[in-house]
Amino acid sequence: MRILAIDTSCDETSVAVSENNKILSNVIASQADLHKEWGGVIPSIARRQHEKVIDSVIIRATKLAGINLKQIDVFAVTNGPGLAIALEVGINKIKQLASDYQKPVVAVNHMVGHIYANFALNRNGNPVAFPLEISQQTFPLIALLISGGHTELILMKDHLQFEKIGQTLDDSAGEAFDKIANMLDWGYPGGPIIEKFAQEGDEDRFNFPIPMRHSHDLNFSFSGLKTAVLREIKEIGKSQDSKFEKMKKGDLQSNLVQKNDNRITLSKKETYKLSKRDAHDIAASFQKATLEHLSQKSLRAVSEYQVKYVVLGGGVTNNIYIRSNIRKNLRLKGVKLYYPKTKKLTTDNAGMIAVAAYYYAQKESFVDLDILDRVPRLSL
Ligand code: KG4
Ligand code: ZN
């Protein structure tokens, strides 16, 4: 079965072609540079850029896969969650292709895509996450989804059976990274920058509170931790005047501080400049508290549900410190952690949508084009 999938849920225009769950091409046109100066994603800019590049990304993806559109059996598209007007671009394009070529369409939840990135095979037919010997018997498993808009624990007893067992009560993990980086004027997205700064920092210098460490549920919270970090940044400024420089930008430069699905908060931007030492230590201490939180909840989930496998999905999966420490902690409990070995499959991409679509298409779970629409707050 040949599948062409599109994801335009946020700031990446991505098109992939797969043969079943084997990804033949996975083209990602990132808009990150366009949004950088805002410290977050501006939906209208995202939409315009998706519209501008979608056709050329389709051409590149089919060319790389060595097939033409007539050979596609199934079209797939992300219908949510994401930015409404950005999702629309992919959906409209898929509707057009499906009616031109008279082929069925699968609508895929973006978060399902992040989980199914783990079930992908690369061009050579090798699994990207699970080793071959267990690729057939991975259930039940728990997926820890850590992206810019979501932080969730999902229990899967079988393919396409999702039970949400935990979720963030406020900010997502990625959002905390982005907001802190934004406050320090470090750029967007914040995760990779904070990870880099943290490498040379003292993670024990600041004792940031580990969120919800005494709660007995599987939910997350990042807003308190984020506030504690921001408070510390201000404190440092007060006590070390020479290393501190506060820039207050005027009304005209009011800035987007964060995206969360289709919610956007506009606020005046206040940024703080720290000394190198302080910056590294803040980054490392924040990252440590984030790891502890994610790790504690994952450990609680695996013991509560008695699973042997955990998979990761979403952009924060790229954080080597976080994933290797979660892996280590789970291993002590006899649980194995897997995640896609290529970075392309952990951040937003259409390859993961094609893989998920393959499993839906096998069940003939197709969507009627007349009712296919974006669902910005689509939930699992
Ligand atoms: O899954 P994703 O690409 O997009 C969404 O679906 O939201 O995730 C983006 C998020 C951003 O918040 C970004 O800061 C975070 O993933 N991220 C990281 C790293 N790379 C990306 N967070 C921590 N460490 C990283 N290395
Ligand atoms: Zn994502």
Side-chain angles (χ1 to χ4, degrees):
M1 183 193 308
R2 287 192 178 120
I3 303 164
L4 181 139
I6 298 181
D7 185 295
T8 57
S9 57
C10 192
D11 57 344
E12 258 101 29
T13 316
S14 185
V15 178
V17 176
S18 76
E19 170 88 54
N20 300 337
N21 59 334
K22 183 163 95 177
I23 297 176
L24 303 176
S25 66
N26 190 9
V27 179
I28 302 166
S30 176
Q31 313 173 352
D33 282 348
L34 289 177
H35 301 283
K36 225 172 212 154
E37 64 174 300
W38 304 98
V41 179
I42 308 288
S44 56
I45 297 178
R47 182 194 175 96
R48 213 176 312 130
Q49 188 64 10
H50 286 314
E51 280 174 336
K52 196 168 149 196
V53 303
I54 186 93
D55 286 325
S56 65
V57 178
I58 291 172
I59 292 168
R60 258 157 60 208
T62 47
K63 224 176 189 172
L64 269 176
I67 58 153
N68 60 52
L69 287 168
K70 278 191 221 124
Q71 296 171 291
I72 298 292
D73 303 303
V74 172
F75 289 99
V77 67
T78 302
N79 64 333
L83 302 167
I85 60 172
L87 288 162
E88 267 171 20
V89 179
I91 289 173
N92 291 341
K93 184 52 71 177
I94 277 296
K95 282 186 176 178
Q96 183 201 322
L97 289 170
S99 48
D100 284 356
Y101 294 95
Q102 288 296 300
K103 292 288 160 55
V105 170
V106 178
V108 178
N109 178 316
H110 181 82
M111 303 315 289
V112 169
H114 276 306
I115 297 175
Y116 270 84
N118 289 285
F119 291 91
L121 305 179
N122 65 19
R123 243 190 121 102
N124 302 322
N126 296 317
V128 302
F130 301 111
L132 264 182
E133 65 273 16
I134 62 152
S135 55
Q136 298 304 319
Q137 27 114 12
T138 50
F139 298 109
L141 64 77
I142 283 174
L144 171 61
L145 300 177
I146 36 182
S147 72
H150 295 77
T151 302
E152 294 173 343
L153 281 163
I154 308 291
L155 172 69
M156 283 179 74
K157 292 189 178 144
D158 202 347
H159 275 300
L160 306 179
Q161 286 184 19
F162 311 103
E163 186 189 335
K164 198 188 287 177
I165 55 175
Q167 63 185 318
T168 185
L169 304 176
D170 39 60
D171 292 352
S172 74
E175 212 170 334
F177 274 94
D178 293 337
K179 280 182 177 170
I180 291 167
N182 189 47
M183 180 135 184
L184 290 162
D185 220 14
W186 288 352
Y188 173 86
I193 306 160
I194 290 187
E195 181 179 15
K196 196 157 177 280
F197 272 69
Q199 277 163 4
E200 288 166 51
D202 172 5
E203 63 178 28
D204 297 317
R205 174 164 160 206
F206 300 105
N207 235 336
F208 293 130
I210 297 160
M212 301 174 79
R213 68 181 315 167
H214 300 298
S215 85
H216 293 288
D217 60 26
L218 298 172
N219 292 326
F220 299 89
S221 165
F222 285 94
S223 140
L225 170 59
K226 176 201 69 191
T227 307
V229 174
L230 300 185
R231 204 182 303 125
E232 191 60 55
I233 292 169
K234 290 182 185 177
E235 275 306 305
I236 296 172
K238 261 190 233 153
S239 60
Q240 301 175 26
D241 238 11
S242 59
K243 294 178 184 169
F244 179 75
E245 184 186 302
K246 186 171 165 185
M247 293 174 285
K248 197 159 184 171
K249 300 194 175 171
D251 279 358
L252 280 173
Q253 284 162 292
S254 67
N255 207 325
L256 173 82
V257 287
Q258 187 53 39
K259 61 157 175 144
N260 184 359
D261 302 345
N262 61 343
R263 266 184 292 137
I264 298 149
T265 320
L266 282 167
S267 80
K268 274 181 229 164
K269 187 178 177 183
E270 274 185 13
T271 57
Y272 298 83
K273 200 166 170 60
L274 302 183
S275 73
K276 231 173 156 183
R277 173 83 275 130
D278 291 339
H280 289 164
D281 294 348
I282 285 274
S285 304
F286 158 69
Q287 196 176 251
K288 183 186 173 199
T290 301
L291 159 72
E292 295 290 333
H293 185 31
L294 294 171
S295 184
Q296 281 174 7
K297 294 294 183 162
S298 304
L299 286 168
R300 182 182 289 280
V302 298
S303 80
E304 214 165 283
Y305 289 91
Q306 294 290 305
V307 306
K308 287 271 163 282
Y309 302 109
V310 173
V311 296
L312 295 180
V316 186
T317 304
N318 288 320
N319 189 299
I320 295 169
Y321 169 88
I322 288 179
R323 74 186 185 208
S324 59
N325 280 296
I326 294 180
R327 169 176 265 177
K328 203 164 72 193
N329 295 342
L330 286 171
R331 200 190 291 136
L332 295 173
K333 302 273 173 212
V335 176
K336 291 203 163 125
L337 178 76
Y338 295 107
Y339 47 83
K341 281 175 213 123
T342 70
K343 192 173 167 201
K344 223 175 180 182
L345 282 169
T346 48
T347 37
D348 289 352
N349 70 93
M352 65 187 196
I353 304 301
V355 175
Y358 165 63
Y359 289 89
Y360 282 115
Q362 280 177 299
K363 291 184 184 292
E364 302 205 357
S365 194
F366 299 119
V367 61
D368 186 340
L369 284 193
D370 293 334
I371 59 164
L372 173 59
D373 201 359
R374 82 271 196 297
V375 189
R377 294 187 167 277
L378 185 62
S379 173
L380 261 176

